[in-house]
C-alpha cells in the first residue's frame, strides 16, 4: 500500500496539487511508522488515511487517461472506417475428409 502510494505520487505530475502532495507524503510517513510499531489499529488507521489521501489524485489521473484515450480514439476513427470497407462477413462450414466417407 505504501509503495503504491509512492508510485501514485511520482506519477501524479500536474494532477496533484501541493496540498494533495503534502497530504499523501504525510500519510505515507504515518503508515511507515505504524508498520514499524506493529500496532494493528494504528496500521488500519494509517491505511485508511493513505487510501483517502491518494484516491482523489488517482481519480484525476484515471480521468485524464480516459480523456486522452477518447481523443486518440476519435483520431483513429477515420482509419478504422477505411479498414472496415475491406472486410467480408461470411459463414463457412468445415468439411473433413473423414466426413465425406
Amino acid at each position: 500500500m505504501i509503495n503504491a502510494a509512492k508510485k501514485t505520487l511520482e506519477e501524479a505530475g500536474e494532477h496533484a496539487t501541493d496540498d494533495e502532495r503534502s497530504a499523501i507524503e504525510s500519510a505515507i510517513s504515518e503508515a511507515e511508522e505504524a508498520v514499524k510499531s506493529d500496532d494493528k489499529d494504528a496500521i488500519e488507521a494509517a491505511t485508511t488515511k493513505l487510501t483517502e489521501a491518494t484516491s482523489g489524485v488517482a481519480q484525476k489521473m484515471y480521468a485524464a487517461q480516459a480523456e486522452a484515450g477518447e481523443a486518440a480514439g476519435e483520431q483513429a476513427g477515420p482509419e478504422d472506417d477505411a479498414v472496415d470497407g475491406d472486410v467480408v462477413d461470411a459463414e463457412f462450414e468445415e468439411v473433413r475428409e473423414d466426413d465425406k466417407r
Side-chain angles (χ1 to χ4, degrees):
M1 184 72 180
I2 294 171
N3 290 332
K6 287 179 180 179
K7 186 174 180 178
T8 300
L9 190 59
E10 289 174 11
E11 295 175 352
E14 72 276 355
H15 302 292
T17 64
D18 290 338
D19 291 339
E20 289 171 328
R21 285 183 183 278
S22 63
I24 293 171
E25 290 169 352
S26 173
I28 288 171
S29 297
E30 288 182 30
E32 289 173 337
E33 291 299 317
V35 168
K36 290 178 186 175
S37 72
D38 288 333
D39 181 7
K40 181 183 174 193
D41 293 333
I43 293 171
E44 288 178 1
T47 302
T48 301
K49 183 175 180 180
L50 189 56
T51 302
E52 290 172 357
T54 58
S55 65
V57 175
Q59 288 175 357
K60 289 179 188 178
M61 290 170 55
Y62 294 134
Q65 289 174 351
E67 288 175 12
E70 289 174 5
E74 290 172 2
Q75 293 173 354
E79 292 176 16
D80 292 340
D81 292 339
V83 173
D84 289 342
D86 296 336
V87 176
V88 176
D89 186 22
E91 294 183 19
F92 69 94
E93 182 177 330
E94 183 177 343
V95 179
R96 297 184 181 175
E97 291 295 320
D98 296 338
D99 292 341
K100 289 184 179 179
R101 295 182 188 166

